[in-house]
Amino acid sequence: MPLFSFEGTSPSVHETAFIAPTASIVGDVTIEAGASVWYGAVLRADFGPIVVKEGANVQDGSVLHAGPFPCVVGPGATIGHSCVVHGATIGAEALVGNGAIVLDGAVVGDGAMVAAGSVLTGQVPDDTLVMGVPAREKGPVTGSSVEAWVRGNPAAYQELARRHRDGIQEL
C-alpha cells in the first residue's frame, strides 16, 4: 500500500478500505471503514489532517491537502475524478463533480452537489446544487441527480472498491 510517514506522523487506514496501488497517502491521513482512494490520487497531510470518512470515495487523479483548515470528506461522500479539495469540509453523501476545485474553508453540506468544473470558496447548504466559476447556488439537488449521483454513487463505489481490492493483479 502506498503509505508514507512524514515527520513521525503516519496514515491510518481501516482494513476494509481500498487504496489503489498508485495512490499516494502521506502523513496525518485517516481513511475509515469501506472508504476508497483510487488510482493516481494524492492525499498529502503535512500542514494539517485529512480524514476520509466511512464509505467515502476519492476518485482517480484527485488531490486532497490540508492548509490552514483540515480536509474532511464526509461519510459516503464522493470526490470525483481530478478534483482538488484543499482545506475544505465535504458533507455526508455530498458529491464533488469531476474536475471541481473546493478551496480553503469551504463547506459542502450533506447531500449537496458541486458541479463538474466548478470552483468553490464558500458554503453550500445541505441538498443544494452549486455550479460555475465561482460556484453559485442553482437550487436543490433534484430528480435523477439525487438517485444516481448523490444516493447511488456511494454504494456503487463501495462495491467497485471491493472488486478492485479482490481482483486487481499487477502484471
Side-chain angles (χ1 to χ4, degrees):
M1 200 177 311
L3 305 177
F4 301 93
S5 177
F6 177 73
E7 295 181 345
T9 303
S10 298
S12 172
V13 178
H14 192 275
E15 64 185 24
T16 63
F18 169 70
I19 309 298
T22 58
S24 295
I25 313 297
V26 181
D28 189 7
V29 178
T30 301
I31 301 173
E32 295 183 355
S36 57
V37 178
W38 293 83
Y39 302 90
V42 175
L43 282 64
R44 181 168 55 88
D46 46 11
F47 284 145
I50 297 171
V51 179
V52 179
K53 299 274 190 174
E54 185 173 351
N57 65 89
V58 178
Q59 295 178 9
D60 312 71
S62 288
V63 175
L64 277 61
H65 189 241
F69 304 97
C71 184
V72 179
V73 179
T78 294
I79 307 301
H81 305 284
S82 299
C83 293
V84 173
V85 179
H86 197 277
T89 299
I90 311 301
E93 293 189 358
L95 183 135
V96 178
N98 296 345
I101 299 171
V102 183
L103 294 172
D104 293 332
V107 177
V108 177
D110 295 348
M113 180 184 282
V114 178
S118 296
V119 176
L120 178 66
T121 59
Q123 298 201 4
V124 180
D126 293 352
D127 304 309
T128 300
L129 169 66
V130 297
M131 66 173 53
V133 179
R136 299 195 192 289
E137 285 188 35
K138 297 298 179 181
V141 178
T142 60
S144 64
S145 294
V146 172
E147 293 310 314
W149 297 111
V150 175
R151 304 286 184 260
N153 205 56
Y157 260 82
Q158 289 166 22
E159 172 58 18
L160 186 58
R162 185 200 57 74
R163 290 174 48 211
H164 276 258
R165 184 177 51 248
D166 296 344
I168 63 169
Q169 294 181 350
E170 187 171 356
L171 302 177

